[in-house]
Amino acid sequence: MSRTVAVIGGGITGVTTAYALAQRGVNVTLIERHRYAAMETSYANGGQLSASHAEVWNHKATVLNALKWMARRDAPLLLHPWPSWHKLSWFAQFLAAMPGYERNTIATARMAIAAREHLFAWAEQENIDFDHRRAGILHVYRDQRGFERAAGVSRLLAQGGLQRRAVTLTEMRAIEPALQGNFYGGYYTDSDSTGDIHKFTSGLADACVRLGVPCRYGAQVTALAREHGKVRVSMDGDSTVFDAVIICAGTASRAMAAMLGDHVNVYPVKGYSITVQLDDAASRAAAPSISLLDDATKLVSSRLGEDRLRVAGTAEFNGVNHDIRADRIRPLLQWVEQCFPGINTRKVIPWAGLRPMLPAMLPKVGPGKAPGVYYNTGHGHLGWTLAAATAEMVAQQVAAMAQD
């Protein structure tokens, strides 16, 4: 009898993991608490497949900004002062990881580049239409200080194998003529791309079904227990024993890991997005074709097909909280109106999701303490960018276990 594996979580990391295992002939079951795949953090993110955004946050500039912005309700990074043990322990480990800033940025860039090959191949093989646009990503800077700091980041990315080039204001205008406003300069990465994470994940989940993967949607995992070298997964009064389990459960991974004797210090960092419907010809003409990252506002934009513009960003440290706050959505809408004034913003869909972040900003990929326990979680703001690579990494390990 073939060995059985459960993948818990039907977001981008869980679905890519289940698919990578199914391709290897592993007997895998996908378990997701929602009725469909990709209904939480993989629903409406910024859309960027961005190796150029691989810089980890463990830098003194991030800490100083967080302290400076604490009084601003619309700040790009909002740290709520109300303490909790989870938040305090997370930030202590975040600060302790600062010496690894350069090493971890380089490692993340390498992982992001590796992910492209798998993701593009899977989309082609399974004929998944996810509004993929391979037009590059343009980072824009409003002052000389930000632009010069970006030069140092570019050198780290180059060590990871990614080339992005500095561009003048004139070159920026040529790359994206629709962009309005005062800027100093930019960096352009032509190898980066964008796409709709929800469409891709849903399409790959359908591919898993075609490969024979049982997908147990609407199944809430209530308990996990080690049992004679295997793992018992309890779901809504039912339970099944699997030879191995892979936790891909986003912000729920911390609690699930604790059930299995592991400490995986994932913290939920809320991000917001808006989807602007480009329903008229004038708005479509005024909207950007190139994906952007505005360093000053920490906002990104991606054109999804011809009739949608996704704008996303901000980071809010406020525990498990899914509330969509008007004061956090307003800066995204204002950014569109200022940078692309010709866009009609009557029809805008707001959204918020919880990014699963680990203190060192690198995902946890691989085995836990107990036999048969594996993790693929904690990708933070780069789940869409990194998932295909980490899925391959953990699938190789689990497939080797299944053959033993």
Side-chain angles (χ1 to χ4, degrees):
M1 179 181 295
S2 62
R3 305 190 74 178
T4 57
V5 178
V7 172
I8 301 178
I12 184 64
T13 57
V15 172
T16 52
T17 299
Y19 181 79
L21 287 167
Q23 281 194 313
R24 290 167 167 79
V26 175
N27 184 356
V28 56
T29 297
L30 179 67
I31 301 170
E32 164 56 41
R33 64 180 177 178
H34 289 285
R35 189 179 182 185
Y36 311 102
M39 294 304 293
E40 288 201 23
T41 310
S42 299
Y43 187 75
N45 74 352
Q48 292 188 332
L49 292 160
S50 51
S52 60
H53 201 24
E55 180 191 11
V56 299
W57 295 5
N58 309 82
H59 191 278
K60 63 180 180 181
T62 306
V63 177
L64 293 174
N65 282 334
L67 296 174
K68 179 177 67 176
W69 289 333
M70 281 183 71
R72 280 182 51 190
R73 292 177 62 85
D74 63 349
L77 193 159
L78 181 61
L79 173 60
H80 287 262
W82 190 261
S84 70
W85 173 248
H86 186 193
K87 186 187 294 183
L88 292 173
S89 70
W90 192 94
F91 274 107
Q93 292 181 25
F94 177 90
L95 295 173
M98 288 176 67
Y101 162 78
E102 293 189 357
R103 178 180 66 253
N104 291 344
T105 294
I106 294 168
T108 304
R110 287 176 177 153
M111 202 181 306
I113 293 169
R116 293 172 178 165
E117 177 184 350
H118 302 298
L119 190 144
F120 297 167
W122 296 344
E124 182 177 359
Q125 182 174 334
E126 302 298 343
N127 195 27
I128 301 173
D129 177 10
F130 63 107
D131 294 326
H132 192 204
R133 187 180 291 251
R134 302 180 74 163
I137 294 177
L138 176 64
H139 286 60
V140 297
Y141 300 88
R142 297 173 183 263
D143 55 40
Q144 183 177 357
R145 182 179 180 183
F147 180 80
E148 290 179 348
R149 183 181 180 280
V153 176
S154 291
R155 286 191 288 271
L156 293 178
L157 297 177
Q159 292 182 54
L162 183 78
Q163 298 301 319
R164 70 173 188 175
R165 62 183 177 92
V167 291
T168 64
L169 184 57
T170 300
E171 290 172 315
M172 280 174 50
R173 302 296 187 198
I175 294 169
E176 183 44 77
L179 179 64
Q180 304 294 312
N182 296 319
F183 297 93
Y184 180 85
Y187 277 85
Y188 179 55
T189 312
D190 59 5
S191 60
D192 275 343
S193 61
T194 57
D196 187 321
I197 187 174
H198 182 73
K199 282 188 173 183
F200 177 86
T201 309
S202 299
L204 199 66
D206 290 342
C208 286
V209 173
R210 291 194 296 271
L211 289 171
V213 175
C215 295
R216 300 188 61 172
Y217 292 118
Q220 178 73 49
V221 173
T222 57
L224 297 169
R226 294 170 290 176
E227 190 171 294
H228 308 299
K230 299 184 179 184
V231 180
R232 179 174 292 278
V233 180
S234 299
M235 299 167 280
D236 302 321
D238 182 23
S239 70
T240 304
V241 175
F242 293 91
D243 293 301
V245 64
I246 309 174
I247 307 299
C248 306
T251 57
S253 299
R254 178 172 177 262
M256 291 186 182
M259 297 178 192
L260 296 167
D262 290 314
H263 179 60
V264 180
N265 200 10
V266 168
Y267 192 88
V269 181
K270 190 195 296 186
Y272 292 84
S273 79
I274 57 174
T275 303
V276 184
Q277 293 296 138
L278 308 173
D279 288 340
D280 57 273
S283 293
R284 291 190 288 271
S289 297
I290 301 296
S291 182
L292 301 167
L293 187 151
D294 187 338
D295 182 69
T297 60
K298 309 302 181 188
L299 297 180
V300 306
S301 70
S302 298
R303 186 74 171 265
L304 301 177
E306 289 302 312
D307 61 354
R308 291 184 299 154
L309 177 66
R310 177 73 49 77
V311 178
T314 78
E316 183 178 327
F317 288 80
N318 191 26
V320 178
N321 182 307
H322 292 89
D323 294 346
I324 300 177
R325 292 173 38 178
D327 57 350
R328 304 292 288 159
I329 290 292
R330 192 175 302 115
L332 281 66
L333 187 59
Q334 290 173 339
W335 185 85
V336 174
E337 294 170 346
Q338 292 166 4
C339 295
F340 305 98
I343 294 178
N344 185 321
T345 54
R346 285 193 180 94
K347 190 182 292 185
V348 173
I349 303 170
W351 174 84
L354 301 179
R355 310 179 186 98
M357 287 196 168
L358 286 165
M361 309 298 291
L362 289 176
K364 180 173 179 58
V365 184
K369 294 177 182 177
V373 176
Y374 295 83
Y375 296 91
N376 183 18
T377 191
H379 295 65
H381 65 299
L382 291 175
W384 183 210
T385 297
L386 302 178
T390 61
E392 280 290 305
M393 290 163 61
V394 74
Q396 289 176 6
Q397 298 173 23
V398 174
M401 176 277 297
Q403 293 172 359
D404 291 343

